[in-house]
């Protein structure tokens, strides 16, 4: 007889209780997702409060001994803790109870805040991002406290209400409440897996820096017939500036942009290459006519392991119907850069600003506005205990070893946890990347609610067991 | 005793009557400009009708024997004629009774439709463009018919109500009414002079062609973090396309763009060079930091005698406050080209479209939409009798020879008059280019009402005299 898989460690009583409560767990999600907790829209402020109250109530119902609302200058965070496992690790469980706006409403097949089960999926705004994955952690804590009277590890829950609006007040809250947030690492119920078939762990995320610029020519909009050809058109100058940012090889043409950036190891590159991914499927999913990017790298490498610079907005002049013969006084651009290890947000923005200034043609002036938000790239050390437990648990649940994946996007809170609390973050969400988060008909796969519960139950136990060996 | 100046030909009785009526003429303008005949705004449709009625009444009061409203699919044109000078030339007098919208209202120092006299100027929407200049022609006809019982030439008045919205129905109207519009040439009361100090005649105008394009990448907006660097961003592609349209020498870089374009003669270039114009003053007026344009040409040559290509609008992605990390699915651009003699609207647009298609990078697709409006450049022959009379009259009125000037903008009706009626157009407006037309606090200089009346009175007489010699 072989030894039990290290990823299967939860008591049978806890697993049985979770199985018994399958219907109740789904009902939890339907009730939670029915609250339109849209953080971006002022008219939903009462719903935000209602969602925070509902979540606090659910945590109390789970048996958490301390449940608090932590006010911020925006929406409150919900905090809870159970710290009665002396000697065991302490996990800070992160998630968010706010959701994206549901627009465009007309494209939903069932109302966004009337969560509806169809074909093994729950449809509703926020079910995948992040109410379903967040509830899993609460429900597992509940099952432990009900079935065993205790948890194998110490847990702190920190659920914010502003993730969808940039987590603006979270860093200050974390610094302010630092003493209440001591832990060994962060286990994030937010995030998502690679696909429903392939278990995955997100082990790196690109960083972010942003800036905007305005090109100014004449002091006001002029008639493009009278003046065309005799003054520099800010739209031409802005376009030339934008065009100057990339070379024909798809590389960012800003001097020093790649300084400090290193290729990942041959083994790591091979691992990315081995992932079940084809450009053909990617183009089908995105509707783009062809892949495009830095020469010498695959699509996934371009997304995860190479820095990129993207215009997010570019505008000026007349944008309505028909034509208006205007030589506009201004043109505007917004851009963001995704950073990889070796790049710093501020100095990278400095280089871009210097490039723009150097390339500003005569006849116009340039104004650059720097964004105050930025984040370094994040990488989880491959020997992190929270990561090793996650690998084992996922392998046990899915019968295959998880793959390591990167994240093209940025999670600024990762840097906050690292800088202010000294904590690494392990992503352990059971959402899947294809669940149309931020879009109409967001859904969450019902079976993954139960897969997630089992995995979290094993996770708590396996982590406790590992820390005792 | 020297012979009388050929530009001073009007009977004293007519000039005396005009002088007597100085107050009444100004009152005419105040009444006419008080009618908010804004052709672009549906709520002003009754005012448009009121303005057409007022103008018809004023023409009848002047003694015109035939006064009609000519309906169009939009606003009506006002037509009047006096054709009792057999053997004398027939002039088709063009102008427009519609005005630009007055917005932004808050920047007017007196209400736009309460015409107000301050410091020798009438302030009000439309006083310079084109109600003041138009009334001059009517008042002069009135003075002739009152003082002399007849006009020295035959006149047809054609005042449209849609100039400020692109004269969309004028070409059809002109073709339909061709038989009523026979004339020797068009004398336009619309247009404007170079400056209040220097009399000028507009003898050429650039033509126009327009197109729009859309660059498409992914089928919908994507997250620029997740996808940035692995798909071509339509904003980058659009910017590169726009940047490709000009070379570093300020020339349009479209193959064949300058085919057929010739430099004006050394004498003509010298005449432009000799005009009272400095780049310094131009930059003060426009607020632009420096002149810019095709190497080897002066600012006025760039405006009048060289073709130009201008983006009028460029947009895509997120344009609101703050940042949104979007890799947009589309980017859009609108552009117009100003043409000079030797260029044709359609083939020039063909070349630009071919250029755009050739330069479209991989990873995006291009859609080009062609505008249906276009106009060739216009040039008045220097031996045109209507032009020679205008020169003489202006020299007599201002004591100095007028300068020939070009027009950077386009007047599509010039091509309609030429193509459909076979008529050249002589501009004889007493508006000045600095009178803030299309802007708040539009004004018309009161003395120029009287200068214009004298000039038009002499013009009629001098043209008749010339045709008899």
């Amino acid at each position: 007889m072989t030894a039990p898989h290290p990823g299967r460690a939860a008591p049978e009583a806890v697993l049985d209780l979770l199985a018994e409560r399958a219907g109740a767990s789904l009902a939890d999600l339907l009730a939670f997702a029915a609250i339109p907790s849209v953080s971006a829209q002022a008219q939903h402020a009462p719903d935000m409060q209602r969602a925070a109250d509902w979540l606090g109530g659910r945590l109390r119902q789970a048996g958490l001994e301390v449940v608090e609302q932590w006010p911020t200058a925006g929406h409150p965070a919900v905090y809870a803790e159970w710290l009665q496992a002396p000697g065991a690790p302490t996990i800070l469980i992160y998630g968010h109870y706010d959701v994206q706006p549901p627009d465009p409403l007309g494209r939903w097949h069932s109302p966004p805040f009337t969560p509806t089960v169809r074909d093994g999926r729950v449809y509703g705004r926020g079910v995948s991002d992040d109410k379903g994955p967040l509830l899993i952690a609460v429900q597992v804590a509940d099952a432990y406290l009900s079935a065993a009277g205790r948890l194998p590890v110490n847990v702190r829950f920190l659920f914010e209400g502003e993730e969808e609006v940039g987590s603006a007040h979270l860093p200050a809250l974390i610094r302010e409440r630092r003493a209440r947030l001591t832990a060994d690492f962060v286990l994030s119920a937010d995030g998502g897996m690679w696909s429903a078939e392939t278990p995955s762990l997100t082990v790196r995320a690109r960083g972010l820096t942003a800036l905007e610029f305005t090109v100014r020519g004449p002091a006001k909009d002029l008639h493009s017939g009278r003046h065309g050809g005799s003054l520099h058109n800010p739209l031409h100058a802005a376009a030339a500036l934008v065009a100057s940012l990339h070379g024909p090889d798809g590389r960012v043409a800003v001097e020093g942009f790649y300084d400090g950036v290193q290729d990942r190891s041959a083994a790591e590159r091979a691992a990315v290459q081995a992932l079940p991914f084809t450009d053909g499927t990617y183009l089908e999913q995105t509707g783009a006519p062809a892949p495009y990017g830095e020469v010498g790298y695959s699509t996934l490498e371009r997304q995860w392991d190479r820095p990129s610079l993207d215009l997010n907005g570019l505008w000026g002049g007349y944008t309505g119907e028909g034509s208006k013969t205007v030589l506009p006084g201004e043109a505007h651009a917004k851009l963001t850069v995704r950073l990889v290890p070796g790049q710093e947000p501020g100095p990278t923005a400095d280089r871009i600003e210097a490039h723009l200034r150097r390339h500003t043609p005569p006849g116009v002036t340039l104004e650059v506005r720097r964004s105050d938000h930025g984040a370094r790239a994040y990488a989880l050390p491959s020997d992190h205990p929270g990561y090793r437990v996650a690998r084992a648990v996922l392998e046990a649940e899915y019968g295959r070893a998880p793959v390591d994946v990167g994240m093209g996007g940025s999670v600024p809170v990762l840097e906050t946890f690292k800088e202010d609390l000294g904590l690494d973050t392990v992503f352990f969400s059971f959402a899947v990347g294809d669940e149309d988060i931020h879009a109409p008909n967001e859904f969450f796969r019902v079976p993954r609610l139960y897969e997630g519960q089992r995995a979290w139950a094993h996770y708590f136990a396996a982590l406790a067991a590992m820390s005792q060996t």
Side-chain angles (χ1 to χ4, degrees), chain A residues 141-467:
Chain A
D142 187 335
Y144 267 104
L145 293 172
S146 299
R150 63 183 309 278
L151 282 158
V153 290
N154 301 293
V155 296
R156 300 179 189 272
F157 293 94
L158 178 64
F159 297 136
E160 67 161 319
E162 299 191 296
E163 198 276 341
E164 301 295 2
V165 288
S167 302
H169 303 105
L170 189 66
L173 183 73
I174 284 174
R175 283 189 287 273
E176 183 191 326
R177 304 280 186 163
R178 186 183 289 134
R180 302 286 300 280
L181 295 170
T182 54
D184 291 283
F185 62 93
V186 176
L187 193 62
S188 175
D190 193 25
M193 283 200 220
W194 169 260
S195 77
E197 295 73 37
T198 309
S200 63
L201 283 163
T202 303
V203 296
R204 50 192 191 270
R206 293 195 290 189
L208 178 71
T209 188
L211 57 79
E212 302 187 22
F213 66 86
T214 295
V215 174
R216 292 199 172 81
K220 56 185 175 181
D221 290 1
L222 298 176
H223 192 283
S224 67
R226 180 163 171 208
H227 300 276
S230 70
L231 291 175
H232 207 155
N233 184 323
L235 295 176
H236 303 184
L241 283 174
V242 171
S244 78
L245 292 167
H246 287 88
D249 52 1
R251 283 171 67 85
V252 174
V254 171
E255 193 179 321
F257 183 81
Y258 293 96
D259 287 1
V261 175
Q262 298 196 324
D263 273 341
R264 298 189 70 84
S265 71
E268 287 167 324
R269 295 191 67 177
V272 170
Q273 210 57 44
L275 288 170
F277 176 93
T278 69
D279 280 347
T281 306
Y282 180 56
L283 296 180
E284 274 170 36
Q285 286 165 351
T286 58
Y292 186 85
E294 189 183 355
V295 167
Y297 297 93
S298 69
T299 294
L300 289 180
E301 287 179 309
R302 289 167 177 169
Q303 290 181 349
W304 299 344
D305 296 324
R306 300 297 300 171
S308 63
L309 184 161
D310 267 276
L311 268 282
N312 303 119
L314 177 63
W315 73 101
Y318 179 70
T319 62
E321 258 192 84
S323 77
K324 183 177 175 185
T325 49
V326 62
L327 192 167
E330 298 185 347
H332 308 271
K334 291 175 188 275
L335 64 87
T336 45
V337 177
R338 300 295 164 163
L339 307 167
V340 298
Q343 292 180 305
E344 292 288 324
T348 300
D350 289 344
R351 290 192 167 109
I352 294 166
E353 180 168 348
H355 173 99
L356 293 172
R357 295 203 181 283
R358 206 160 47 236
H359 285 76
T360 300
V364 294
T365 60
L366 178 74
E367 180 192 332
V368 176
R369 286 177 305 289
R370 299 281 286 269
S371 161
D372 52 357
H373 64 269
R376 274 191 282 273
Y378 177 79
L380 182 66
S382 60
D383 60 353
H384 190 282
Y387 163 73
R388 287 191 292 135
V389 171
R391 286 196 67 85
V393 166
L394 289 179
E395 183 172 354
E397 177 62 29
Y398 290 101
R400 54 185 293 192
V403 294
D404 283 350
V405 300
M407 183 186 279
S410 312
V411 190
V413 71
L414 294 176
E415 181 157 339
T416 300
F417 288 136
K418 188 76 185 177
E419 295 295 311
D420 291 319
L421 301 177
L423 305 185
D424 281 310
T425 298
V426 177
F427 285 97
F428 206 58
S429 164
F430 286 77
V432 177
D434 66 356
E435 290 174 340
D436 284 326
I437 65 169
H438 297 207
N441 303 305
E442 177 176 349
F443 68 92
F444 186 58
R445 291 171 167 89
V446 175
R448 291 182 70 86
L449 182 65
Y450 308 123
E451 295 165 15
Q453 288 178 342
R454 286 191 297 269
W456 277 76
H458 291 307
Y459 193 102
F460 288 162
L463 185 71
M466 189 177 75
S467 71

Side-chain angles (χ1 to χ4, degrees), chain A residues 36-40 96-101 113 125-126 129 131 164:
Chain A
S37 49
V38 181
S39 50
H96 63 93
Y97 68 88
D98 64 324
V99 303
Q100 280 276 317
F113 297 109
R125 170 56 82 228
D129 180 21
K131 287 177 172 174
E164 301 295 2

